[in-house]
Structure formats: structure tokens, C-alpha cells
Amino acid sequence: MAGQKRDYYEVLGVDKNADDAALKKAYRALAKKYHPDTNPGNAEAEAKFKEASEAYAVLSDPEKKRQYDQFGHAAFEGGMGGGAGGFDFSGADFGDIFGDLFGDLFGGGRSRAQHNGPMKGANLRTSVRISFEEAVFGCEKEIELTVKELCKTCGGNGAKPGTHPETCSKCGGKGQVVFTQQSFFGTVRNVQACPDCQGSGKIIREKCADCRGTGYVPMRKRYAVAIPAGIDNGQCKRMPGLGEPGTNGGPRGDVLVEVIVNRHPIFQRQDYNIFSTVPMSFAVAALGGEVVIDTVDGKVIYDVKPGTQTDTKVRLKGKGVPTLRNKEVRGDHYVTLVVSVPDKLSNQAKELLKQFDAESGDSLNAAKGLSEGDKAPNEPKDKKKKFWK
């Protein structure tokens, strides 16, 4: 009964103003999801597949759509026999959709049928290792790759010298063959790559001995890679047109060079900023003075203010990493100043420090007025001993 059917627009999940592309996209998604071949024995999925197919058959046909918009399901009651569930699917164009759909489900279909057209070659990937400084300022590196070059013996046609590729008799040189397939809504015309020529449209009876019919031979080649200033670890440098050759006149793919940046013993990088830690003596921290800071541009002398505390952060503006878009624009270098406490002192130095401590007044957190029993014991040299019973 017509009253039992859902609205066709609701079935496909589109509005009434949806164009052909939107209808096709919506139906393809539902057909792929509920196709019986991917849901064997699932009656509910089969019913939804038929429902979506019926909705698309109507809404993709301008005349049927006009009738449906005017009269609803009543426009197709009676006299519409044939197809699945009594509905007539004649006139519905499922060809390109099922070319894609069966390609996804069974590894064939439209994607292979288009092999006769120009296709870009595959990309090649490699990597190069550089130093921290080279990543900051840029550099040039050399890479070596195995690439496919045109076979000089056959001129790239893949045939033995003195012979030529022949036009495929099965597809007539089109690279595609049309076949029919029975579905729930009748006979559907589909297109696939020609099995005889694998979509090339040509048959090579006698193959070239050097390239074995491919038209290309492998060669080791060296390329200079310009690494831009500011590149970071894991980023890639693209070299267009140096990858695998295309097919049927298509362009070559690209070479993608992944950059691996070595760790630096002093510097750490975050985005375009550099971070490091610089020690300073207690005297410089207390009295002020100069410390030498290493940067990627060389050594910088920094004036420390009197009374500077340990872990003080210093910003050296413009001493960081150049940006990839503009090497004249750079990040900053952030330095953490840390007071260095000597672990070995001469007797004279010890006496001077005691005098300093006495002259400076009450010592910070000094242990005064406590008995020996109130003091925590020092850790014994033998760490196996315990302070508890």
C-alpha cells in the first residue's frame, strides 16, 4: 500500500531541492551499506536496499520526480509492474553508481575502467638526516633513488624492436568493456577495465627484453634537495615530477623527502622558538655580572642583574628559528638561568662562605635553637640500613 511507504526524500535523507549529485551521493552510501552481498541473509538490510533503490529510481528521473512531487506514491499505483516489489526500474540510470559500488565491493568497477585515461604516477618516498643548525638555516643535501626511466631499446612502447603494440580487439582500444548484471531491480549495465589489456587498450604480442613490456627500466639517480630554513623534524620536502611515471600520458608523481633532525646537546625546539639552560655562579647571581649564552647565531653576552634568582627566564628576541614562509621572521630564544652550586671547595673558599653567611645576618632557614635529637639524621653511606625498626 502506498500509505505504508516512507517518503522517498526521507529514505535518501535529502531535501526536495537536492540536485542529481546529492541524490547520487546519498543513494550510493545507502546502497553500499545495505547491499545484500555485504549483508548475506539479512532481510532487513535487503529491504532497505530495495527501498533506497526505488526512491533513487524515482527522484533521479525528472518525469517520475515531477509526478511524485505532485501526487506522492499514488502516482505509481497500478500498471507499474516489473522490477523488484512490483516497481518499474526501467529508465533509471544505475550504471555509474554500480560501477563505483561493485568496484568497492569486489575490487573492480569504475575505478579500474578509467585506466585508459591519463593517470599521474605514484609518489616516491625517502628520508634525509640533517643537524639542528641545518634545520634552522636551511641546507642542500643529496639523495639517491631508484627511478623508472624510458626504455631506450623500445622507445617506451614496451614492444620488441621491429614490432608494435596492437589495438586490443576485445575493447577496440577503449580499455573498457560493458557487461550486464542482474540485480534486484532488473538488468544493470556496468563498465569495467578490459581483462585482456588491463585497461590500456593495447596488446603487446612480443615484449621488449630490456623492459619486459613495461616501457621503463630502473635507474639509480642522484638529486640535490634544497632543505628550506625553519623545517622541523618529520616534515617533508616535495620534489614535483620526479616520482614514478604516469600512464597513458599522465604526469610523473612526486618525490617526498622526509627530514629527520638530529638532537642538539644544548638546544630544544618548540615550533619556531628555541630553549636552553645556562649556569651562573652564586657570585654573579648575587652581585650581578655577565654570562655567556650560546645561540644558533653564536655566543651572546648577557648582563645579569644583582639578586637574580635561579630559574630566571630570559628572552632573546629574534634568536629562534626562521619561519618557513619568511626566513626573515624568526622565533625567540628562551634561556633559563640556573645558579650553579660547586660540589668541591677549597678550605679558603669555605671560610669565605662562612664569613659571608655571618655577615649577611640570619641565614635562611637556619637550624637554631634545636637539640641534636630534633635533627633528622643524614642518610647513611650504607643505604641498606634503615631508620626504622
Side-chain angles (χ1 to χ4, degrees):
M1 296 293 292
Q4 295 175 329
K5 291 186 177 182
R6 286 201 298 157
D7 178 77
Y8 286 150
Y9 293 101
E10 179 186 345
V11 170
L12 295 181
V14 298
D15 59 41
K16 291 187 176 183
N17 296 320
D19 58 14
D20 290 342
L23 291 170
K24 187 176 294 185
K25 181 179 180 181
Y27 172 64
R28 186 183 184 282
L30 293 172
K32 184 177 180 181
K33 181 177 181 180
Y34 296 116
H35 195 280
D37 288 328
T38 57
N39 299 274
N42 189 331
E44 182 181 358
E46 180 179 335
K48 289 185 177 180
F49 178 70
K50 292 179 180 180
E51 181 184 45
S53 299
E54 180 178 320
Y56 178 71
V58 170
L59 299 183
S60 63
D61 184 290
E63 179 59 25
K64 288 188 174 77
K65 183 178 185 299
R66 184 189 64 78
Q67 295 178 37
Y68 178 74
D69 288 342
Q70 185 173 2
F71 302 107
H73 293 292
F76 309 107
E77 290 181 359
M80 298 291 288
F87 188 83
D88 180 16
F89 286 91
S90 62
D93 181 15
F94 293 95
D96 57 345
I97 293 180
F98 277 86
D100 289 342
L101 180 60
F102 288 112
D104 288 340
L105 295 177
F106 310 116
R110 194 180 182 192
S111 60
R112 294 199 312 187
Q114 293 178 338
H115 279 189
N116 199 35
M119 294 183 64
K120 183 179 179 180
N123 294 332
L124 294 176
R125 292 181 176 271
T126 187
S127 62
V128 64
R129 185 176 292 275
I130 63 176
S131 68
F132 188 93
E133 289 82 2
E134 287 174 328
V136 172
F137 297 110
C139 62
E140 186 174 283
K141 292 290 182 179
E142 190 177 76
I143 59 172
E144 188 174 356
L145 293 172
T146 299
V147 297
K148 293 178 181 178
E149 290 295 322
L150 204 66
C151 177
K152 295 181 180 180
T153 304
C154 65
N157 63 20
K160 180 180 177 180
T163 67
H164 300 279
E166 301 174 6
T167 300
C168 177
S169 58
K170 189 175 185 67
C171 65
K174 295 180 179 179
Q176 302 174 351
V177 291
V178 179
F179 69 99
T180 58
Q181 187 165 7
Q182 296 297 322
S183 69
F184 288 98
F185 27 78
T187 301
V188 177
R189 295 176 71 254
N190 205 349
V191 181
Q192 72 173 16
C194 176
D196 287 7
C197 64
Q198 287 75 48
S200 68
K202 299 290 183 181
I203 297 292
I204 301 176
R205 301 296 181 188
E206 296 184 71
K207 297 181 179 180
C208 172
D210 289 347
C211 67
R212 299 180 180 180
T214 64
Y216 295 91
V217 292
M219 292 184 62
R220 293 293 290 177
K221 298 191 72 173
R222 293 185 177 184
Y223 298 102
V225 185
I227 307 296
I231 199 166
D232 204 352
N233 184 58
Q235 292 181 326
C236 285
K237 166 69 176 180
R238 182 182 294 271
M239 302 175 68
L242 298 180
E244 296 281 19
T247 56
N248 299 316
R252 280 184 174 268
D254 304 330
V255 170
L256 304 178
V257 183
E258 182 184 7
V259 176
I260 302 173
V261 182
N262 291 332
R263 290 181 176 272
H264 195 278
I266 298 176
F267 305 134
Q268 294 85 42
R269 174 177 173 175
Q270 183 176 339
D271 297 327
Y272 293 111
N273 295 321
I274 295 175
F275 297 83
S276 66
T277 300
V278 173
M280 60 179 175
S281 67
F282 176 76
V284 170
L287 304 175
E290 295 179 343
V291 293
V292 177
I293 299 175
D294 287 313
T295 73
V296 291
D297 295 315
K299 296 184 182 297
V300 172
I301 296 177
Y302 180 78
D303 289 325
V304 178
K305 296 180 180 179
T308 297
Q309 302 298 307
T310 191
D311 289 335
T312 295
K313 302 295 190 296
V314 174
R315 176 191 178 195
L316 303 179
K317 190 174 181 180
K319 292 293 184 181
V321 180
T323 63
L324 284 171
R325 292 185 178 181
N326 185 355
K327 65 179 181 180
E328 302 300 325
V329 178
R330 298 176 60 174
D332 302 324
H333 186 157
Y334 293 89
V335 180
T336 301
L337 299 176
V338 177
V339 174
S340 178
V341 179
D343 54 2
K344 292 182 179 180
L345 292 172
S346 65
N347 291 332
Q348 183 180 5
K350 291 178 181 179
E351 290 300 324
L352 290 173
L353 280 176
K354 289 179 180 179
Q355 293 179 26
F356 167 79
D357 196 43
E359 289 292 333
S360 61
D362 290 339
S363 298
L364 182 65
N365 199 24
K368 295 181 178 180
L370 295 178
S371 65
E372 289 296 325
D374 294 327
K375 295 180 181 180
N378 292 330
E379 184 179 352
K381 292 183 180 179
D382 185 358
K383 293 186 178 181
K384 293 183 180 179
K385 294 181 179 180
K386 298 181 180 179
F387 295 119
W388 60 89
K389 295 182 180 180

